[in-house]
Amino acid sequence: MTSSYSAKQIQVLEGLDPVRKRPGMYIGTTGPRGLHHLVYEVVDNSIDEALAGYCTEIEIEIKEDGSCSVTDNGRGIPTDTHPTTGKSALETVMTVLHAGGKFGGGGYKVSGGLHGVGISVVNALSEWVEVTVWRDQKVYQHRYERGIPVTELTSQPDPDNKRGTRVHFLPDAQIFTETRDFDYNTLAGRLRELAYLNAGVKITFIDRRQTPSREEVYCYEGGIREYVSYMNRDKEPLHQDIIYVSGERNNVQVEVALQWSVDAYNDNLLGFANNIRTIDGGTHLEGLKAVLTRTINNIARKRNKIKEHESNLAGENVREGLTAVISVKVPDPEFEGQTKTKLGNTEVRGIVDSLVGEVLNEYLEFNPQVADSILDKAIQAFKAAEAARHARELVRRKSVLESSPLPGKLADCSSRDPSESEIFLVEGDSAGGSAKQGRDRRFQAILPLRGKILNIEKTDDSKIYKNNEIQALITALGLGIRGEEFDSSALRYHRIIIMTDADVDGSHIRTLLLTFFYRYQRQLVDQGYIYIACPPLYKIERGRNHYYCYSDRELQLRLREFPDNANYAIQRFKGLGEMMPQQLWETTMNPESRTLKRIEIEDAAEADRIFTILMGDRVGPRREFIETHGSRLNLLDLDI
Ligand code: 0RA
């Protein structure tokens, strides 16, 4: 008698009372998160059935009354009598804490951890639950209220001989005092995610609370591969196929899908353990990152993209532009951290590393063009990071020593007051020579730029910082680092004047410089620091008089004023270098007589679009743009 009494005691301890007393211990909160947790718990049981290979379809239905029903076509919860409880297996699963997983018979329940508290918790926290099981040519039904069976387990013949389980429940208002309303988007998001994570499982979601009712079907034969291509839908892929790894070692299943994009600079790595999103990462992501870095570096050396004496690419270089999903299934997951969203199982790190290493290596060996494009992208990222670090150090050093290493070819002005100082950016050494001689050195500085400066639209930070002309510009002007906040107090001149020849080359260089300023530190343009000098195209000499003309039209007008028999000579300036220093001063540099065009960009977004089209790689849109907006381009004085 005593022994059966104590057995009853144990039964009580394992019962559902503690769940109702302290629901937070089992589902985290009794707010909206906990409420949705109930659905996930039931769905996870069906997903486990799918993972075991017995279930292909799951239907989740929110009914008009706010209850939720989850139906699957799995084996159905067993209904025979359970040896230790003396109750049906179904009732045991529904009323004994943590009993659900113990019925798997050898297999493991993968949906442990955050969820996986057992379907009995849903039962405990529901006003009622009705379970329907189809198996053995019968339909079984059992109803519970607040965790307690209120009917016998009934059975009826099932002529259809179906298989499956339905768990239909209404969350208990006594527990969920804040809200009992399921959120469509929250559920839809998680169900879609589950469909991506469990390739081929068809998940139907129906919401009958709205009329007409809303229904969506999620089913992805490609699984996480489709997830990656969905995330990359608006990006340009660096390689067409999504690299895919799937394997199992020591009962740990690993699945990884990878794709790099051309135009992305961040990485986007999503980790899952037992279908649970591991927001705080963990050993699976550590393993993935380690193997990516090692494999890419090995291949880079093998393909001689990194020389022996050069240092390795860093992990973040390798991951630049990468979208990846890693999903692992672990028999006994350990979830760590405040929010229990970090996978802790140490064995997973090495398993991911070795499984992914083998496949990735082989894939890249067989697809050398993919390997090369990934390597090139990583190397670019590496150089950009190096250059950015260099530039930062330069700026830091400068501020420490309080002396800026100004470029040697800068002819600086004597004034140290930026508000009265101006700098002429001049194309070529010969024009630079004229400008140096013609200027007023008290407030005018000259920086000659050689050849074509880099088109920064088409390049990355590393090239920008390495380019001599651009380095000279950055230091001469006192610009900070690209993308960092613009500090106008560091600016050494408040008028930055682009002075180029009035020909095609000159206008190209002007465009490149404008693009540089716009892309490097847009505020320079926005705040009106950038100007364009307007050198004359012609000089007319007539007797002791001379006239400068700044356009063909001006030339025609002037000539029309002359009498028919007038004697005059026209000089056409092919470049600034042809002008005498005094001429250049008079016509183009003297604030009393010159014309300057200030670059003003009213609509930054539109300007950005224009710059992208004009300076980018895509010839099609550029041609089209010039064809339709050709005349408007004068606005920015960009003629290409
Ligand atoms: C225990 C044992 C077996 C299946 C299940 C539980 C099971 C539970 C749920 C919950 C929702 N859907 C489910 N489907 C199955 C295995 C039974 C057997 O061996 O036939």
Side-chain angles (χ1 to χ4, degrees), residues 466-477:
K466 278 222 183 93
N467 183 280
N468 284 333
E469 309 305 298
I470 285 183
Q471 255 181 19
L473 257 178
I474 293 170
T475 38
L477 300 185

Side-chain angles (χ1 to χ4, degrees), residues 42 45-46 49 72 75-78 100 103-104 119 135 163 165:
V42 180
N45 283 282
S46 301
E49 200 52 13
D72 66 50
R75 287 169 293 182
I77 302 176
F103 287 81
I119 214 163
R135 59 184 283 159
R163 273 259 161 146
T165 305

